[in-house]
Amino acid sequence: MLDEVRSGATRRVVLTGPAGIGKTRLAEECDARTAAIGGNTVWARCLEDDGAPAWWPIRRILRELGADVDTTLIPPTGVESDEARFAVYERILGVVETAATQTPVLTIVLDDIQWADPTSLRCLLYLVGALHKRGVWFVCTLRDSETTPGVRRFVDAVLHGEGNRHIDVPALAEPEVAALAGHVSGAPLDADEARLLAERTGGNPLFVSEYARLPRDERLDGGIPMAVRSVLARRLAAMEPAVLQVLRVAAVAGAPDTGFDHVMLDWNPNGHDPEILYGAPHFDMHFYTTDADREVDPAAPDFAERAARLPEPEYVPQGYIPTTRTARREHGAVHGHALDGRRRRRDPRSFEFTEVLLNGSWDGEFIFIEPMMTREWLATKPSLQEVVKQPSSYQRTGYYPTVYTVDFDEQAGEYVVALSGLTMREAS
């Protein structure tokens, strides 16, 4: 793309991905390559602040290009509002075109465009259609989990333009994880530790770096660095905008030796079946012990039989009652559940659902532990700690939780839901 821009074309690239994946680092590389050919780069970082003034990233661009910001952005008087707005757009276009004539390549980096204010987005959308045949390279970074309709319109317009590109920044491969972690920690990783770190972090460079900064024993025991917790909290917050606080699941997903493969969070604004028990708006958290890609085909001839097959009694936590009568469809499959007997009532109408810890099964095997809690209960900022009841035997070897907690962190303004006290259990 840089060669095309150097030849006089206007190009745009959108770099997308989750926090920490390396979008800004890739934009910095675009900056470095522009400098290597004698070009000029200006940066405009959008602010994660509802109070950010209108035109914020545009102001940064204009200032970096040497324009008088106030003169450029003050609309003309005595004309209709739309005419005045487009007059301002034309001024901004003129500033960019003039700057492009003074350098082999003008690179404009718009960092974290998901936070751009609506006024700036409308101007950027105008520039997509108006700016052509100038040596200008727009490099935009976008956290894809936090897009708004205005951002999506801008990205769609960019991708319809000739020669523009969208790059979904990939995760690091295992050898790259090992190299980065070794560089950060100052010590090489053996093959097993590199594999485990790649699984736990998903190859996210930020996560890899933060884990590598932990002491080795803490890293292997599954400690979660604060920077990683912060990113996970943001992702959970984005799942349900109506929720004002953040639910954070304190667990390491994708770490086989913990006994868990991955964690899923579901928000059920209308509850789910059986409605008489779980009809209230609530969260489900599934701590899965099986692979996310495990196939459960509802069309299979033996589907109903496998769904109804319960685990053997020795694998059922003490005091729990396994039943298919509370089976329900989750993530495309029907699962059976085991409920703590002390919470069960002969008459379901007398069951007051606030929070509960279930075990879910499929085809005779427990495959997840499921904390469930209502939004109303969470609003009370509870502090709960319970012993996780254990079976007499285990179907899989691994570390299993012995403590279940739900707390509200006043300082962080976050809820923490944790299955902790991990203890090694051997399959038997």
Side-chain angles (χ1 to χ4, degrees):
M1 293 185 78
L2 186 56
D3 289 339
E4 294 174 351
V5 177
R6 195 175 184 181
S7 298
T10 301
R11 293 289 182 263
R12 298 166 179 85
V13 59
V14 179
L15 309 173
T16 62
I21 200 65
K23 303 180 297 296
T24 301
R25 178 65 190 87
L26 191 53
E28 290 172 349
E29 183 64 24
C30 296
D31 183 345
R33 296 197 178 195
T34 299
I37 61 172
N40 182 36
T41 299
V42 298
W43 282 72
R45 290 183 169 89
C46 303
L47 300 180
E48 186 189 11
D49 186 349
D50 292 338
W55 297 108
W56 181 257
I58 302 298
R59 284 176 173 272
R60 300 303 305 169
I61 293 170
L62 293 174
R63 187 172 290 112
E64 291 289 326
L65 294 179
D68 185 307
V69 175
D70 292 334
T71 300
T72 305
L73 295 181
I74 293 176
T77 58
V79 296
E80 295 293 332
S81 59
D82 285 343
E83 185 178 349
R85 177 163 55 90
F86 276 86
V88 173
Y89 293 168
E90 288 288 333
R91 292 178 194 162
I92 296 168
L93 175 64
V95 170
V96 175
E97 288 179 331
T98 299
T101 65
Q102 300 169 357
T103 181
V105 169
L106 174 62
T107 297
I108 299 177
V109 178
L110 293 158
D111 199 22
D112 284 324
I113 199 170
Q114 73 277 357
W115 295 326
D117 62 275
T119 304
S120 296
L121 278 173
R122 284 192 289 269
C123 178
L124 292 170
L125 188 61
Y126 166 82
L127 292 178
V128 171
L131 185 59
H132 299 286
K133 297 181 180 180
R134 304 284 182 176
V136 183
W137 191 17
F138 286 90
V139 179
C140 308
T141 72
L142 170 64
R143 192 174 297 182
D144 53 7
S145 62
E146 301 182 35
T147 58
T148 63
V151 172
R152 286 192 289 271
R153 283 194 296 272
F154 170 74
V155 173
D156 287 345
V158 167
L159 298 184
H160 279 91
E162 179 183 358
N164 296 336
R165 293 185 62 189
H166 167 237
I167 298 176
D168 191 7
V169 180
L172 300 178
E174 188 174 312
E176 296 166 328
V177 168
L180 176 58
H183 174 75
V184 172
S185 66
L189 276 66
D190 60 39
D192 288 341
E193 188 176 1
R195 174 189 55 77
L196 183 60
L197 190 58
E199 290 174 343
R200 284 182 172 171
T201 63
N204 184 300
L206 171 63
F207 291 4
V208 172
S209 298
E210 293 302 320
Y211 271 102
R213 291 187 176 98
L214 293 175
R216 187 173 186 275
D217 290 345
E218 188 176 344
R219 191 163 67 228
L220 294 177
D221 286 343
I224 304 180
M226 287 306 300
V228 178
R229 288 175 180 265
S230 175
V231 172
L232 294 177
R234 182 184 301 282
R235 291 181 182 176
L236 294 176
M239 294 183 67
E240 172 49 40
V243 179
L244 300 180
Q245 289 95 1
V246 175
L247 269 169
R248 185 172 65 204
V249 180
V252 180
D257 61 345
T258 66
F260 295 107
D261 179 86
H262 63 288
V263 179
M264 296 186 70
L265 171 65
D266 296 312
W267 165 239
N268 303 283
N270 300 309
H272 57 56
D273 292 333
E275 186 176 353
I276 194 171
L277 296 178
Y278 305 123
H282 69 274
F283 292 93
D284 295 340
M285 280 146 256
H286 296 77
F287 291 72
Y288 277 95
T289 59
T290 57
D291 193 302
D293 295 328
R294 176 174 176 150
E295 291 187 4
V296 179
D297 182 7
D302 60 348
F303 172 79
E305 178 184 351
R306 296 177 69 189
R309 187 176 298 138
L310 299 175
E312 295 298 324
E314 63 266 28
Y315 300 128
V316 178
Q318 296 179 20
Y320 273 61
I321 303 172
T323 175
T324 56
R325 285 183 293 177
T326 60
R328 66 177 189 272
R329 184 170 297 275
E330 296 172 297
H331 313 301
V334 173
H335 298 117
H337 291 79
L339 175 66
D340 190 344
R342 69 184 174 85
R343 297 177 184 247
R344 188 173 178 180
R345 302 289 184 269
R346 291 183 180 275
D347 184 355
R349 290 171 295 183
S350 67
F351 175 73
E352 183 180 357
F353 171 42
T354 55
E355 61 78 28
V356 67
L357 188 66
L358 302 175
N359 280 254
S361 66
W362 165 257
D363 196 22
E365 180 181 1
F366 281 120
I367 62 172
F368 60 80
I369 298 176
E370 181 184 4
M372 292 170 52
M373 59 207 67
T374 65
R375 179 175 176 177
E376 182 179 0
W377 181 72
L378 285 172
T380 68
K381 300 181 180 179
S383 180
L384 170 72
Q385 179 171 312
E386 291 184 353
V387 172
V388 177
K389 294 185 177 181
Q390 305 295 311
S392 59
S393 299
Y394 295 83
Q395 294 171 302
R396 293 169 176 262
T397 296
Y399 286 95
Y400 288 88
T402 59
V403 180
Y404 163 50
T405 57
V406 181
D407 282 302
F408 182 73
D409 185 331
E410 291 283 356
Q411 183 174 359
E414 297 175 355
Y415 292 94
V416 180
V417 180
L419 293 175
S420 57
L422 297 178
T423 303
M424 173 58 75
R425 308 294 188 185
E426 299 291 339
S428 58

